[in-house]
Amino acid sequence: MTDLFSKFDPVIQQREDLLAAGYTDPFNLVMEKVESPTVAICNGKRTILLGTYNYMGMTFDPDVVSAGKKALDEFGSGTTGSRVLNGTYVGHKAVEEALKDFYAMDHAMVFSTGYQANLGVISTIAGKEDYIVLDIDSHASIYDGCALGNAQIVPFRHNDIEALEKRLKRIPEGAGKLVVLEGVYSMLGDIAPLKEMVAVSKANGAMVLVDEAHSMGFIGDHGRGVAEAQGVIDDVDFIIGTFSKSVGTVGGFCVSNHPKFEILRLVCRPYVFTASLPPSVVATAATSIRKLMDSADKRAHLWENSKRLHAGLRQLGFQLGTNEPQSAIIAVIMPDLEKGAAMWEALLNEGLYVNLARPPATPAGMTLLRCSLCALHTEDQVGEVLGMFAAAGRATGCIS
Ligand SMILES: Cc1ncc(COP(=O)(O)O)c(C=O)c1O
């Protein structure tokens, strides 16, 4: 018998080596208590959270929490069914209405996760005969959506407008073309040049899908994302998003003005063949989305936090993923996985949680300490964070 698990041996070895060297497993942290969007108790210690996607700090919002409790009482703990059978409650309709209002778009379809939204929409609209042109640094859910639909995949160099244009021009005349982009790329926290890329895509007869998972709520005057900020949202055919980041719960969605969009509810397998979100989740999401429409002050404070952390880390001598802060994600580049794990652990001991990211999730084989800021981090907390980076950086030899 061939052990089907033997293919995982290199990963098992790498993990064992790391643990044998005495490092804490960076992928097995337990939050013993969560006190707020910015503070938790880990290993019995107060820990500042700088590695969540809680950009707008909605998880403990009193209105959001009470909407969830009310729905739990009135509708029970789950729907036990698909959206197309018994799994559509008034709450699912209400959250889709909230999304249509938030994005000012005609259609909104809610999935059980953002992963499934990409999987479902991409695989359903781009099939075997079609071409998907995508940034090489695209999220795993985008690649998995491409694979599920069997489309021809044409990757291009990250954020390279000319490379996108070249690829588009090589596709046979008359073929179906979908360009898939992200507003914010979550590993380095950089944004896409959507203005130019959407124009090039349209000029070459392609439909455009933009995943705005890491920009919703924060970027753009109304928090609609990078496409809004760069003035091209009306030219984007599909926006994919998630409830697991700024919205503060779980779920995914696609919004669109395409006149035939609603047919997806019948033909999109990751929408049809899975249970719908629990009523408490859609109630919290709808409340959160409506509050995000009116959150300009929080957006401004989050930008301040992002700028302050970026400047402070740079001053300390860390190498960062972007020259200027472009989003709520600031990536600190580590020389290798071992140094990254040592720094991650030293920060945790100081009382700070960040994300350790490594290949294959990261581009160019990089090991990153990814910091994601929250609109509820105070100026003092950002100062505390910088003090912790200074101490951990010196203790591990990452900075002098
Ligand atoms: C760009 C992007 N798209 C989609 C997703 C999936 O979102 P969800 O957590 O809702 O499955 C993520 C999650 O990390 C993401 O970063």
Side-chain angles (χ1 to χ4, degrees):
M1 184 188 77
T2 304
D3 182 2
L4 294 169
F5 274 62
S6 57
K7 61 174 86 59
F8 307 125
D9 286 348
V11 187
I12 292 170
Q13 192 57 51
Q14 191 189 41
R15 191 167 176 276
E16 279 174 0
D17 290 348
L18 203 66
L19 298 183
Y23 296 115
T24 310
D25 185 351
F27 306 110
N28 202 17
L29 182 75
V30 176
M31 306 268 158
E32 288 142 22
K33 192 166 185 290
V34 180
E35 294 186 346
S36 74
T38 62
V39 174
I41 306 294
C42 303
N43 300 322
K45 190 176 167 146
R46 174 187 175 268
T47 304
I48 295 183
L49 299 173
L50 194 70
T52 76
Y53 296 128
N54 206 349
Y55 301 124
M56 296 297 282
M58 300 306 284
T59 49
F60 282 81
D61 180 279
D63 298 327
V64 169
V65 171
S66 80
K69 285 181 179 163
K70 186 166 178 283
L72 193 58
D73 283 342
E74 289 178 7
F75 291 94
S77 58
T79 67
T80 72
S82 160
R83 284 295 304 272
V84 294
L85 296 173
N86 59 306
T88 295
Y89 290 11
V90 283
H92 297 84
K93 286 293 182 197
V95 74
E96 287 174 346
E97 286 305 313
L99 283 167
K100 286 197 258 177
D101 291 345
F102 184 90
Y103 283 98
M105 292 222 183
D106 294 342
H107 305 281
M109 189 167 157
V110 166
F111 291 76
S112 298
T113 62
Y115 177 89
Q116 278 165 282
N118 269 330
L119 201 66
V121 174
I122 295 172
S123 67
T124 309
I125 63 177
K128 215 170 169 195
E129 309 300 322
D130 303 317
Y131 288 77
I132 298 177
V133 186
L134 84 172
D135 189 295
I136 197 149
D137 288 351
S138 292
H139 189 257
S141 56
I142 292 173
Y143 275 105
D144 293 355
C146 295
L148 188 67
N150 278 321
Q152 308 283 326
I153 303 173
V154 186
F156 64 90
R157 209 169 74 152
H158 179 55
N159 272 353
D160 187 331
I161 303 159
E162 267 178 43
L164 164 65
E165 188 167 29
K166 259 191 214 156
R167 303 290 183 282
L168 279 167
K169 290 203 184 301
R170 270 193 225 140
I171 296 173
E173 194 76 24
K177 287 171 255 181
L178 177 68
V179 171
V180 179
L181 306 166
E182 292 178 35
V184 172
Y185 286 86
S186 64
M187 287 299 137
L188 295 177
D190 55 331
I191 60 167
L194 287 186
K195 188 164 188 251
E196 294 80 4
M197 287 189 156
V198 171
V200 161
S201 305
K202 292 280 142 178
N204 286 279
M207 285 189 154
V208 180
L209 178 150
V210 181
D211 181 332
E212 296 271 17
H214 292 274
S215 48
M216 182 192 184
F218 172 39
I219 296 180
D221 285 348
H222 300 86
R224 291 174 189 154
V226 178
E228 180 190 27
Q230 295 187 13
V232 289
I233 196 161
D234 292 339
D235 298 320
V236 171
D237 298 277
F238 309 98
I239 291 180
I240 295 284
T242 174
F243 297 161
S244 72
K245 308 193 194 300
S246 287
V247 177
T249 176
V250 67
F253 63 87
C254 181
V255 291
S256 175
N257 284 327
H258 195 291
K260 297 181 186 168
F261 185 77
E262 293 295 325
I263 196 62
L264 286 182
R265 292 188 199 272
L266 296 183
V267 296
C268 179
R269 295 166 69 89
Y271 177 83
V272 174
F273 294 104
T274 195
S276 63
L277 287 167
S280 54
V281 168
V282 285
T284 56
T287 308
S288 178
I289 291 163
R290 293 213 177 271
K291 290 194 87 165
L292 288 177
M293 287 187 212
D294 190 25
S295 296
D297 290 353
K298 279 170 101 178
R299 285 194 260 284
H301 180 70
L302 184 47
W303 273 122
E304 287 309 312
N305 281 346
S306 179
K307 286 179 197 159
R308 194 170 291 129
L309 183 68
H310 191 281
L313 288 171
R314 209 165 189 194
Q315 209 170 15
L316 286 171
F318 288 102
Q319 196 192 343
L320 305 182
T322 55
N323 288 333
E324 289 90 32
Q326 296 185 12
S327 68
I329 300 167
I330 313 280
V332 182
I333 301 171
M334 293 283 109
D336 52 47
L337 180 59
E338 255 199 43
K339 263 276 192 273
M343 181 71 188
W344 180 86
E345 188 168 346
L347 286 172
L348 193 65
N349 291 336
E350 290 285 327
L352 181 66
Y353 174 76
V354 298
N355 278 324
L356 177 65
R358 55 164 190 183
T362 53
M366 281 191 264
T367 297
L368 303 171
L369 291 179
R370 288 164 63 243
C371 306
S372 33
L373 287 146
C374 174
L376 300 189
H377 281 124
T378 61
E379 195 178 333
D380 284 353
Q381 279 178 323
V382 177
E384 242 186 293
V385 163
L386 287 169
M388 292 168 176
F389 261 96
R394 286 185 192 118
T396 54
C398 287
I399 54 168
S400 45

